[in-house]
Amino acid sequence: MQIQLENQPYSSIQADAIVSYIFDKENRIDGILNDIDHAMDGRLAALVATGELTGKALELVLVHFPEGLDAKRLLLVGAGKPEKFAQSDLRKIAGTALRHLKSRGVKKFIFLAREGERGPAAAQAVTEGLGVADFESNKYQTDKKTNREIQSVLLAGFDAVQNGKLPEAVEHGRVIAESQNFARDLINEPSNRLTPRMLAARAEAMAKEVGLGVEILDERKISELKMGALIGVAQGSVEPPRVIVIRYTPENARPDAPVLGLVGKAVTFDTGGISIKPAENMEKMKYDMGGGATMLGAMRAIAYLKPSVPVIAVIPATENMPGGRAQKPGDVQVAMSGKTIEVINTDAEGRMVLADGVFYARKLGATHLIDAATLTGAIQVALANVHVGAFGTPREYLDQFLESAKAVGEKMWPMPMDDEYEEMIKSNIADIRNTGSGKGGGAITGAWFIKEFAEDTPWIHLDIAATCWVDDGKPWLAKGPTGVAIRSIVDFAMKL
Ligand code: BES
Ligand code: MN
Ligand code: ZN
């Protein structure tokens, strides 16, 4: 799909459709819609009068052969109440329009910018929304509906004065959407087509393509480094683990610049191990490498967008299987940091692989950490499939991250890290246990476990277990992997 800026007047561009949006308010036919309404002999006003065109959020009104326009269709997307509207909503509006038109065989359409949202940031948001909406999870379907394809989208009506900055904004949007889709493609892969070794190979190929440094640690190197927590999880599988290390080094970084460490959980399949999971929904555990894929997507975008700080990604990859050599409940493992872990439940494996991942990232020089993981079912109980659970210390560091999330339209919610929760992971026979004692707070005790290895390094933990995958599609997003958190992480890296 091509996305291009177009300077011609919108009314004389030939296309299968022209798209714009309308607010839910009095006199909703305003600004550019007023011009369109005039050209159409007041037909839009008539649709308002019959109650068909209300502007409520994501309402779709499609008019065929609109008079006065060279496009064959006019699609108006509801933007909701103006006081609730944020620029990041342009992603959903553009994405919803794309998916609606794509399913109707449209190949080329115009997205028409509106008053107040004509600058580079708006163009970037629209481009991201289009790129992410165009992704389909049909890789393994042999009967593809091949003529359903959007070939090009023209961005019209953007600010001529800011024209110089627009192409770069569109380019950034394209990079971010493609990087999100890169991650989504990995998350979709079934575990027989994406073992830790295959994930490492895909990561290595990506890194080389975009010019990032990459190193893959194999099982020998992993045991040399004494990554006992990762090894404890991996030993139940015949597939050997890998640790993927990817480096971005800016051209002239200040010597005192912070170093951002991105650590992603990549359990390519989580059976639960000896504490085995029930069969129902177990197939979903192929997406338990979603945190790792998130960091790979973020690194891909970072390679193009070139923030001024160095970034190191550390992605521990393994299966969690109940093989004959698998770790057992009650076993004690020694993590790379030297801390001892009592394995109460072998299904709490994500925090164990992150323990060594986080510690290793610090050893490689990370001064600031973000980890992403499909860590707990408990985060779904707390926040449903709506918000990413965001943990972190110190609080100011987390707040800074939440600003980025807000700016890019990703819903994340701060979770508590009070000391009382740390008490719940004390072990009787080792330093810590891998599940909380007592009831409740499962996502928080999981976060606290990881913090034991981040120690005083500023650290953020994103529990994406309930948001990395959507079972029902949304008007702007196909069902399946979402690519959530990549935009926030990239925005944060650019501002650090
Ligand atoms: N990968 C799971 C968490 C998960 C659950 C991700 C549902 C996506 C959807 C994780 O490894 C896990 O099994 N967590 C356990 C922890 C428990 C044993 C303390 C859980 O949440 O049940
Ligand atoms: Mn598990
Ligand atoms: Zn898991």
Side-chain angles (χ1 to χ4, degrees):
M1 177 178 61
Q2 293 248 330
I3 302 176
Q4 278 168 315
L5 287 154
E6 173 62 68
N7 288 324
Q8 270 195 82
Y10 67 89
S11 55
S12 54
I13 308 171
Q14 307 227 331
D16 299 319
I18 182 164
V19 174
S20 200
Y21 52 99
I22 176 168
F23 287 98
D24 181 1
K25 60 169 191 184
E26 293 280 311
N27 305 321
R28 60 203 77 152
I29 309 288
D30 60 348
I32 204 153
L33 293 189
N34 210 1
D35 302 350
I36 295 178
D37 189 46
H38 277 306
M40 289 173 67
D41 266 345
R43 298 239 169 103
L44 292 184
L47 287 172
V48 171
T50 59
E52 264 172 273
L53 186 56
T54 69
K56 80 175 195 332
L58 301 184
E59 170 194 80
L60 293 167
V61 173
L62 184 62
V63 182
H64 290 267
F65 306 110
E67 253 175 88
L69 298 175
D70 277 358
K72 292 187 196 121
R73 303 168 182 84
L74 169 67
L75 176 64
L76 289 178
V77 184
K81 301 266 183 219
E83 58 275 16
K84 274 192 150 183
F85 179 82
Q87 192 168 57
S88 55
D89 293 330
L90 289 174
R91 293 187 181 81
K92 288 184 187 171
I93 290 172
T96 301
L98 181 139
R99 285 171 57 78
H100 192 71
L101 295 174
K102 191 179 186 179
S103 70
R104 279 157 185 77
V106 162
K107 305 244 176 296
K108 174 182 170 184
F109 71 89
I110 306 158
F111 185 94
L112 180 60
R114 291 208 54 185
E115 305 67 31
E117 306 294 345
R118 297 198 151 118
Q124 180 173 340
V126 168
T127 307
E128 287 173 14
L130 294 169
V132 167
D134 199 33
F135 178 91
E136 262 6 288
S137 299
N138 58 1
K139 181 166 171 186
Y140 294 111
Q141 286 169 347
T142 54
D143 178 24
K144 292 193 179 97
K145 300 193 178 80
T146 40
N147 72 352
R148 295 272 152 90
E149 189 192 326
I150 301 286
Q151 284 159 358
S152 82
V153 183
L154 304 173
L155 307 182
F158 283 87
D159 191 354
V161 182
Q162 303 206 58
N163 217 338
K165 289 189 180 160
L166 286 169
E168 190 189 57
V170 172
E171 177 59 19
H172 281 194
R174 197 181 58 78
V175 162
I176 288 184
E178 281 176 7
S179 300
Q180 234 176 295
N181 292 345
F182 171 80
R184 291 164 85 194
D185 191 32
L186 290 173
I187 295 168
N188 253 335
E189 291 289 11
S191 73
N192 65 331
R193 292 173 182 277
L194 197 78
T195 61
R197 284 181 290 178
M198 295 184 216
L199 177 64
R202 303 260 299 248
E204 194 171 13
M206 180 278 286
K208 290 195 168 140
E209 191 188 317
V210 303
L212 293 169
V214 56
E215 190 190 349
I216 306 297
L217 314 187
D218 63 11
E219 63 273 33
R220 263 188 48 204
K221 192 78 213 275
I222 290 168
S223 64
E224 262 170 51
L225 289 170
K226 299 198 168 65
M227 294 186 168
L230 169 60
I231 294 167
V233 174
Q235 71 191 45
S237 173
V238 293
E239 283 294 336
R242 290 290 181 265
V243 175
I244 301 160
V245 180
I246 299 183
R247 279 193 175 80
Y248 161 76
T249 318
E251 254 162 44
N252 29 32
R254 297 195 327 268
D256 61 334
V259 178
L260 182 60
L262 304 179
V263 184
K265 168 181 174 182
V267 174
T268 58
F269 197 81
D270 181 11
T271 64
I274 296 300
S275 315
I276 199 160
K277 288 181 181 295
E280 194 175 320
N281 290 328
M282 204 205 268
E283 75 285 356
K284 293 243 187 78
M285 284 301 112
K286 68 174 187 177
Y287 80 73
D288 212 20
M289 34 57 72
T294 300
M295 294 321 189
L296 290 174
M299 288 308 283
R300 185 187 178 281
I302 282 168
Y304 286 108
L305 304 184
K306 305 196 187 312
S308 61
V309 298
V311 188
I312 307 175
V314 174
I315 299 162
T318 179
E319 290 186 336
N320 185 23
M321 295 285 286
R325 287 187 188 281
Q327 63 179 352
K328 301 170 284 297
D331 286 2
V332 172
Q333 308 292 11
V334 186
M336 186 186 185
S337 76
K339 275 198 178 146
T340 55
I341 302 165
E342 183 186 8
V343 181
I344 301 294
N345 189 319
T346 65
D347 198 9
E349 85 297 342
R351 61 200 74 184
M352 294 188 62
V353 312
L354 289 172
D356 286 338
V358 159
F359 186 78
Y360 190 56
R362 286 171 65 206
K363 262 198 81 166
L364 294 179
T367 61
H368 291 70
L369 292 165
I370 304 175
D371 81 67
T374 48
L375 202 75
T376 67
I379 201 65
Q380 186 180 28
V381 177
L383 300 173
N385 306 99
V386 179
H387 286 87
V388 169
F391 303 76
T393 54
R395 182 59 203 244
E396 302 75 60
Y397 180 59
L398 174 61
D399 286 342
Q400 199 184 329
F401 185 81
L402 292 172
E403 284 297 314
S404 282
K406 196 171 172 202
V408 302
E410 291 188 320
K411 285 188 194 287
M412 303 206 178
W413 201 257
M415 300 288 289
M417 283 295 290
D418 299 57
D419 295 341
E420 284 86 339
Y421 299 102
E422 187 183 17
E423 293 302 312
M424 300 180 187
I425 54 168
K426 296 234 156 103
S427 160
N428 291 331
I429 68 153
D431 296 333
I432 48 175
R433 40 186 282 154
N434 79 334
T435 63
S437 57
K439 286 213 175 88
I444 309 170
T445 47
W448 250 110
F449 184 97
I450 302 166
K451 182 178 158 58
E452 300 290 341
F453 300 88
E455 296 179 294
D456 291 332
T457 304
W459 156 82
I460 289 157
H461 158 62
L462 303 174
D463 193 335
I464 58 170
T467 45
C468 163
W469 185 277
V470 285
D471 285 332
D472 339 286
K474 306 218 188 287
W476 63 91
L477 192 77
K479 62 175 149 219
T482 61
V484 74
I486 294 175
R487 287 206 302 269
S488 301
I489 293 167
V490 173
D491 186 83
F492 184 76
M494 297 302 287
K495 290 174 180 165
L496 196 64

